[in-house]
Amino acid sequence: MSSPADAPLETSPATRSEVFGWAMYDFANSSYTTVIITVCYAVVFPRLIVGDGPDYRMGNLLWSVALSISNLLVVFTLPFLGAVMDQVGRRKHFLLASTAITALATASLFFAGPGDVVLAMVLVVISAYGFALGESFIASFLPDLGAPEELGRISGMAWGLGYVGGLMSTAIVLFGLGPVELENMGRQRWIGPITAGWFVLAAVPTFLLLRDRAVPRGGLGAETLRAGVQQLVSTTKELSRYRDLATFLVSYLCAMAGLSIVVSFAFIYGDQVIHWSNSTKAGMFVVTQITATGGALGFGWLQPRLGDKPTYAITLLIWLLAVALIWGTPHVAELARAVSGADLGDEHVFLGVGAMAGLCIGATQSASRTLIALFSPADKVGEFFGLWGVFGKLAAVVGLLSLGALQSTFGLQNGVLVTGVFFLAALAILAGVDAERGRQAALRG
């Protein structure tokens, strides 16, 4: 077993090809979030697997439960895995394992047909768990890829590339497999295998080009596992030293509670509340991917000029407006028809709101990823990005279960208002974060 003194320390700056390799993982894993969680399988599950129409309240609730179980698993395991990864190094090994878990479980969705509710839920839980681990593991490489002032641009570029991957992979499924109808279930089964295949193939450049600069402190054994636990306990006790990190994580939790609702229920909302046509559904998919790409790149460009915290705050303000318009889409459409005399349907207004919201889907997460990178001491990068992942997934549990419970009682349209409460809380808590003070605390270690 090598000692820290014997371990080679990679000090050469990251090359463009390495940055590209890192960004390609966003290109790869966006296929999972877009196809499975947002656009396609999120509609297939309540409509075809559970099939409790016409309002699909039980299907919606079970979808929330499945994603929440997965997120709880992340909450209970990711901090420990992050600490162990810091001890062992070899971050690419952890990333490879999470990728394999996600791909295998996603491909296995092929075997879940109408009525196979438990099987479908188990596979969604496992695949979403693997995805969440990989999301945290790949993020831990970010501090190695450039100077602090460059990280916002790099993160935004990768997130923008991710939306291109989401657009391309979902287009294959959405336009290639036909309508979400029981008679077409034979083709809809291929959603999982196609998504898994895209994920694996697109991630190949990451494993070929990305260098692992982590310094191993020991091999994977009982001693290392104990050291990981001790490191995690120590950091938890000392979190008060990283005051701005701790405050930001609470703000991030609230923001991600709201964002998880949007990502998981946007297309369900369009299907069940707006009653959009297939053409508008396809249009929403294309428009949001384009605006999300532009938003990630644009806000990434803005971050070094305006600052990381203000950029993050702007995205929260846009989200507040978007939530109000999502809830009020029927009223806004009615007002627009009265004023203009045009035959403007609810789905057209919803499409416009989706375009605006798309600007911040990636930008909010990209800006948060950059702030965590700046607030993380060099010897705790894996662990602190583990905390970032934990808070994000705990937020998803809170958000999804809140909406699941509210929509089952008050309906999906009124239940979605809880999203605005989460974004408002995130903005209020962010006021207590001093970005420069948090960066200095990380430098002191």
Side-chain angles (χ1 to χ4, degrees):
M1 182 175 66
S2 62
S3 67
D6 299 325
L9 176 61
E10 177 61 76
T11 58
S12 59
T15 62
R16 289 185 177 180
S17 63
E18 187 177 356
V19 173
F20 171 75
W22 180 79
M24 278 299 293
Y25 200 82
D26 277 6
F27 181 84
N29 73 1
S30 288
S31 63
Y32 179 82
T33 51
T34 309
V35 176
I36 303 299
I37 303 300
T38 303
V39 179
C40 300
Y41 206 76
V43 176
V44 168
F45 181 82
R47 182 179 285 272
L48 302 186
I49 304 298
V50 180
D52 65 323
D55 57 5
Y56 304 104
R57 294 194 180 191
M58 180 55 67
N60 294 342
L61 179 60
L62 292 177
W63 181 248
S64 297
V65 169
L67 295 180
S68 297
I69 291 173
S70 174
N71 290 321
L72 281 174
L73 290 174
V74 175
V75 168
F76 288 125
T77 61
L78 186 53
F80 172 71
L81 292 175
V84 171
M85 187 170 68
D86 282 337
Q87 294 290 327
V88 177
R90 301 176 184 174
R91 289 176 290 183
K92 286 174 73 171
H93 289 71
F94 284 78
L95 184 63
L96 180 61
S98 67
T99 302
I101 291 171
T102 306
L104 288 172
T106 302
S108 298
L109 287 171
F110 176 87
F111 300 105
D116 296 327
V117 177
V118 174
L119 175 60
M121 289 181 69
V122 168
L123 293 174
V124 168
V125 167
I126 295 172
S127 61
Y129 175 72
F131 169 83
L133 295 183
E135 189 178 37
S136 179
F137 294 157
I138 191 66
S140 71
F141 287 85
L142 177 58
D144 300 333
L145 299 180
E149 61 272 14
E150 297 176 330
L151 298 185
R153 176 185 59 82
I154 293 172
S155 181
M157 179 271 295
W159 224 288
L161 186 61
Y163 282 109
V164 175
L167 176 64
M168 294 172 65
S169 59
T170 309
I172 294 172
V173 172
L174 195 62
F175 299 112
L177 298 185
V180 182
E181 297 174 353
L182 198 58
E183 296 76 12
N184 193 42
M185 188 64 202
R187 299 181 71 183
Q188 291 294 314
R189 286 178 181 272
W190 287 97
I191 290 176
I194 291 172
T195 305
W198 177 282
F199 193 173
V200 171
L201 291 176
V204 168
T206 300
F207 294 100
L208 293 179
L209 300 174
L210 185 61
R211 297 180 186 176
D212 193 343
R213 288 169 164 77
V215 180
R217 306 173 196 172
L220 183 59
E223 182 179 343
T224 299
L225 295 177
R226 283 194 297 270
V229 172
Q230 290 170 358
Q231 178 181 328
L232 178 60
V233 172
S234 174
T235 299
T236 302
K237 290 180 178 178
E238 296 176 2
L239 199 57
S240 60
R241 291 175 50 197
Y242 307 103
R243 166 184 169 186
D244 295 287
L245 170 68
T247 304
F248 176 71
L249 283 172
V250 178
S251 171
Y252 174 70
L253 185 148
C254 294
M256 287 305 296
L259 192 56
S260 66
I261 294 173
V262 175
V263 170
S264 302
F265 277 87
F267 278 70
I268 295 175
Y269 192 91
D271 184 57
Q272 298 177 13
V273 176
I274 305 301
H275 304 295
W276 58 13
S277 63
N278 286 333
S279 61
T280 303
K281 175 182 176 180
M284 175 68 87
F285 160 66
V286 173
V287 166
T288 53
Q289 294 302 297
I290 292 173
T291 58
T293 302
L297 294 173
F299 280 106
W301 176 87
L302 186 64
Q303 273 182 255
R305 293 162 175 80
L306 185 61
D308 299 304
K309 175 186 170 181
T311 303
Y312 176 74
I314 289 173
T315 68
L316 297 178
L317 287 171
I318 295 175
W319 274 121
L320 281 170
L321 177 60
V323 170
L325 292 175
I326 288 171
W327 174 81
T329 290
H331 308 292
V332 174
E334 183 179 358
L335 179 62
R337 287 192 294 269
V339 172
S340 66
D343 185 19
L344 192 65
D346 293 359
E347 58 185 338
H348 302 118
V349 173
F350 191 62
L351 183 62
V353 176
M356 180 182 69
L359 290 171
C360 297
I361 291 177
T364 302
Q365 297 175 83
S366 177
S368 73
R369 182 165 65 179
T370 304
L371 282 165
I372 294 297
L374 294 176
F375 292 168
S376 297
D379 62 339
K380 296 181 183 292
V381 169
E383 189 173 348
F384 277 14
F385 269 103
L387 285 174
W388 176 71
V390 164
F391 272 74
K393 300 312 170 185
L394 182 60
V397 174
V398 173
L400 291 171
L401 289 183
S402 296
L403 180 65
L406 289 173
Q407 68 86 30
S408 65
T409 304
F410 301 107
L412 188 54
Q413 182 179 2
N414 290 325
V416 80
L417 287 173
V418 72
T419 311
V421 176
F422 287 129
F423 286 127
L424 184 61
L427 191 61
I429 295 168
L430 182 65
V433 175
D434 185 320
E436 182 57 31
R437 184 175 62 198
R439 181 179 171 184
Q440 291 303 318
L443 292 175
R444 290 193 298 269

